[in-house]
Amino acid sequence: MTAVGIDALEIWTGKLKLDLPGTFAPQKGEDPEKYTKGLGLNASSFPDAHEDIVTMGANAAKRLMERKGLAPDDIGRIDVATESAFDNSKPVSTYIAGCLEQVYDGDFHHANKGERKFACIAGTQSLDDAYNWIKAGRNRDRAALVIATDTALYARGDPGEATQGAGAVAMLVDEDPDLVELSTEQGYGSADETDFLKPNQQFPSVDGKRSMQVYLARMREAVEDFESISDPTHPEDFAYIPFHTPFPGMVRKAGLLGYRHMIRNTPIEESLAEEIGLQPREDDYADREAYEEAIREHMDELKSTDEYREWYGEVIEPTLAISREVGNWYTGSVHIARAAALKSAAESGRDLAGERLLVGSYGSGAQAEIHAETVADDWAEEIDELNVDEQIDERYDLSFAEYEKVHDRHNHDKTIDIEDFTVPEEEFVFTGWGRMNERTYEYVE
Ligand code: HMG
């Protein structure tokens, strides 16, 4: 069977930075450690005045096409995943194709384009669409371009304001991929939830605390569904487990829950029993409340064990390195978690070829998806090409007053003109609105 998966990826971060412990926390009268230790975030990325979901997506895609030596004819499909769209009819992929056609000979007139929506999980669903299209033999030897692009802004004063971010991930999905092969097996956990939504409004209505519970509940269902069609998951099976990362503190909770699930009825549970006892079993408790209390106490002890800490440090912690510096990128978030993990392996000279990842995607509203990936032979060469660290370092560091202006600039209900903070160079920029209120773009040399 032909292997299908991600051949290469590129990342484009918004070019502005808000320092959370240094700039944001003092303004909010909060302890900086709430951000660095509690949420696990150092900074958020923001789009400059000339940036938006189209420019970030097109810039990531152009970099990817250049690096892989691709022409428009090599691409048979462009799918954009976003929850920051500004049009209910014309998809962002048409704008991005239009941008790319400004700089390439040829065009994308015979490429299938669309836009996927299901909160943050849409990025992974777009990968599915590309995978299925190739597996069905409809691709005519062409690859698919999948772009996850978002400006994750919350209303000012909303608790979510601390977890904002902006950036794009472009992924090339193809046969015999150089980076990772996707498993056919998938597990889903999906339910009609109202934890985070944007009913025709730019900034989300969020029940933050509940959204965290819904994330964990759907993720657990997805793991169980995945295991029903593959082997039971075990902590030693996966080199890394990249999760959707709205902020690293959320993944801390998901990692602990996942570990507890994976070690149940294994020799690891037995060996830990001497130190912290076996995991509570519901049948041993008079009611659900007593059982849940026992579980909470057990988890508190589990997270302090050397076994868990070592596993977390190796398998989960490396997935958080980019997210800590850029915040939530919604649809791109789980894909920067995968990139961060592979980057960490490449930097430490680890050979990952043939090893497996377990990928946990999530979108509010709500759905989780679990699938496995097998790392391909040429993964290290692909990952070495990323320049995300340089991009992160080069961001303009906003003062709080500047942050407020940038937030207003990207608020669809306001018309605020501000000067750019950075000078655009070799990139697509937003230039204004055309006669039918469409957004316009050009490439700046
Ligand atoms: P909050 O209420 O301001 O924060 O908002 P908190 O008081 O809960 O503190 C956060 C953590 O910091 C806690 O850690 C505190 O203990 C700790 P925890 O107990 O949970 O482990 N803390 C400190 N630690 C050290 N020193 C200190 C200190 N102070 C506090 N001094 C909340 C948090 C997540 C609710 C908020 O940011 C929010 O509403 N965010 C948006 C919603 C969200 O991100 N939800 C995540 C799950 S849903 C999801 O992932 C989907 C999403 O990406 C959207 C989509 O799918 O489209 C959001």
Side-chain angles (χ1 to χ4, degrees), residues 12-16 47-52 55-56 59 62-63 394-396 409 418-431 440-445:
W12 184 277
T13 177
K15 290 161 71 185
L16 309 178
D48 203 340
H50 59 266
E51 293 189 292
D52 67 10
T55 64
M56 295 188 299
N59 287 321
K62 176 170 177 288
R63 198 195 288 275
E394 282 167 13
R395 288 173 302 175
Y396 177 90
R409 169 75 170 94
I418 56 167
E419 293 290 314
D420 286 332
F421 291 93
T422 60
V423 181
E425 205 185 323
E426 296 188 353
E427 64 188 86
F428 296 103
V429 296
F430 166 69
T431 51
T440 55
Y441 299 92
E442 70 181 30
Y443 187 73
V444 173
E445 293 292 345

Side-chain angles (χ1 to χ4, degrees), residues 31 33-34 37-39 83 119-120 154 159-160 163 196 206 208-209 211-212 215 244 246-247 250 252-253 328 330 362-364:
D31 182 350
E33 294 202 337
K34 170 176 172 184
K37 295 205 167 137
L39 297 169
E83 51 178 297
C120 304
Y154 289 77
T163 64
F196 170 111
V206 198
K209 300 284 183 222
S211 75
M212 296 168 70
Y215 175 121
H244 167 58
F247 52 93
M250 183 72 236
R252 209 165 49 221
K253 295 180 200 301
N328 193 355
Y330 288 160
Y362 177 74
S364 285

Side-chain angles (χ1 to χ4, degrees), residues 153-157 202-203 403-418 430 433 437 439:
L153 298 182
Y154 289 77
R156 294 228 289 279
Q202 184 187 5
F203 301 134
Y403 154 67
E404 289 188 309
K405 281 194 198 142
V406 168
H407 196 282
D408 284 350
R409 169 75 170 94
H410 293 285
N411 182 336
H412 296 170
D413 294 332
K414 295 188 179 177
T415 320
I416 309 280
D417 270 332
I418 56 167
F430 166 69
W433 285 268
N437 207 25
R439 291 170 79 91

Side-chain angles (χ1 to χ4, degrees), residues 281-346:
R281 297 327 200 241
E282 191 162 1
D283 289 350
D284 299 336
Y285 291 84
D287 55 40
R288 180 89 197 165
E289 208 179 310
Y291 167 65
E292 281 178 3
E293 180 57 32
I295 284 279
R296 270 194 295 277
E297 281 169 20
H298 184 82
M299 300 260 283
D300 268 349
E301 289 178 317
L302 179 62
K303 78 175 171 214
S304 310
T305 61
D306 291 344
E307 283 80 355
Y308 175 70
R309 291 160 77 102
E310 200 178 307
W311 175 83
Y312 184 87
E314 279 174 16
V315 176
I316 307 286
E317 185 68 35
T319 69
L320 305 175
I322 302 176
S323 163
R324 269 187 211 300
E325 305 304 325
V326 303
N328 193 355
W329 285 11
Y330 288 160
T331 54
S333 159
V334 68
H335 307 293
I336 53 177
R338 178 202 294 103
L342 297 178
K343 217 167 124 312
S344 149

Side-chain angles (χ1 to χ4, degrees), residues 24-328:
F24 189 73
Q27 284 289 331
K28 298 279 162 180
E30 280 171 333
D31 182 350
E33 294 202 337
K34 170 176 172 184
Y35 297 88
T36 51
K37 295 205 167 137
L39 297 169
L41 288 167
N42 296 327
S44 305
S45 281
F46 283 89
D48 203 340
H50 59 266
E51 293 189 292
D52 67 10
I53 49 172
V54 172
T55 64
M56 295 188 299
N59 287 321
K62 176 170 177 288
R63 198 195 288 275
L64 184 62
M65 286 183 64
E66 264 171 15
R67 175 150 81 70
K68 299 297 278 185
L70 298 170
D73 276 354
D74 300 316
I75 306 292
R77 188 176 177 104
I78 306 179
D79 284 317
V80 169
T82 187
E83 51 178 297
S84 319
F86 44 79
D87 193 310
N88 286 323
S89 174
K90 183 175 157 59
V92 170
S93 49
T94 59
Y95 281 99
I96 290 183
C99 285
L100 294 171
E101 284 169 356
Q102 290 182 31
V103 294
Y104 279 102
D105 290 334
D107 57 54
F108 298 94
H109 287 200
H110 302 296
N112 191 4
K113 307 183 189 90
E115 190 173 299
R116 251 292 189 171
K117 180 181 74 181
F118 193 150
C120 304
I121 202 175
T124 297
Q125 291 182 320
S126 297
L127 280 184
D128 285 353
D129 293 341
Y131 175 96
N132 294 338
W133 172 73
I134 295 172
K135 283 276 181 183
R138 291 178 147 181
N139 59 320
R140 295 186 246 152
D141 283 334
R142 297 173 301 170
L145 196 52
V146 168
I147 301 162
T149 180
D150 270 300
T151 47
L153 298 182
Y154 289 77
R156 294 228 289 279
D158 187 289
E161 196 183 5
T163 64
Q164 300 177 112
V169 181
M171 293 171 276
L172 191 71
V173 181
D174 206 352
E175 291 172 35
D176 298 323
D178 285 342
L179 198 60
V180 292
E181 176 188 349
L182 307 185
S183 67
T184 308
E185 295 78 19
Q186 291 179 296
Y188 303 107
S190 190
D192 176 11
E193 299 276 8
T194 44
D195 54 327
F196 170 111
L197 55 156
K198 301 180 184 176
N200 286 327
Q201 65 197 43
Q202 184 187 5
F203 301 134
S205 301
V206 198
D207 185 342
K209 300 284 183 222
R210 211 177 100 68
S211 75
M212 296 168 70
Q213 295 312 317
V214 176
Y215 175 121
L216 296 174
R218 302 289 80 81
M219 201 64 86
R220 193 177 61 194
E221 281 174 4
V223 171
E224 286 167 357
D225 192 41
F226 177 76
E227 289 177 325
S228 75
I229 43 140
S230 77
D231 296 328
T233 53
H234 186 277
E236 282 154 23
D237 288 350
F238 303 102
Y240 298 104
I241 306 187
F243 280 105
H244 167 58
T245 311
F247 52 93
M250 183 72 236
V251 172
R252 209 165 49 221
K253 295 180 200 301
L256 182 61
L257 204 71
Y259 188 78
R260 189 192 87 198
H261 173 83
M262 288 193 279
I263 64 169
R264 196 174 305 134
N265 299 321
T266 70
I268 304 179
E269 184 189 13
E270 271 166 40
S271 75
L272 282 173
E274 284 172 26
E275 197 182 332
I276 60 169
L278 288 172
Q279 295 182 19
R281 297 327 200 241
E282 191 162 1
D283 289 350
D284 299 336
Y285 291 84
D287 55 40
R288 180 89 197 165
E289 208 179 310
Y291 167 65
E292 281 178 3
E293 180 57 32
I295 284 279
R296 270 194 295 277
E297 281 169 20
H298 184 82
M299 300 260 283
D300 268 349
E301 289 178 317
L302 179 62
K303 78 175 171 214
S304 310
T305 61
D306 291 344
E307 283 80 355
Y308 175 70
R309 291 160 77 102
E310 200 178 307
W311 175 83
Y312 184 87
E314 279 174 16
V315 176
I316 307 286
E317 185 68 35
T319 69
L320 305 175
I322 302 176
S323 163
R324 269 187 211 300
E325 305 304 325
V326 303
N328 193 355

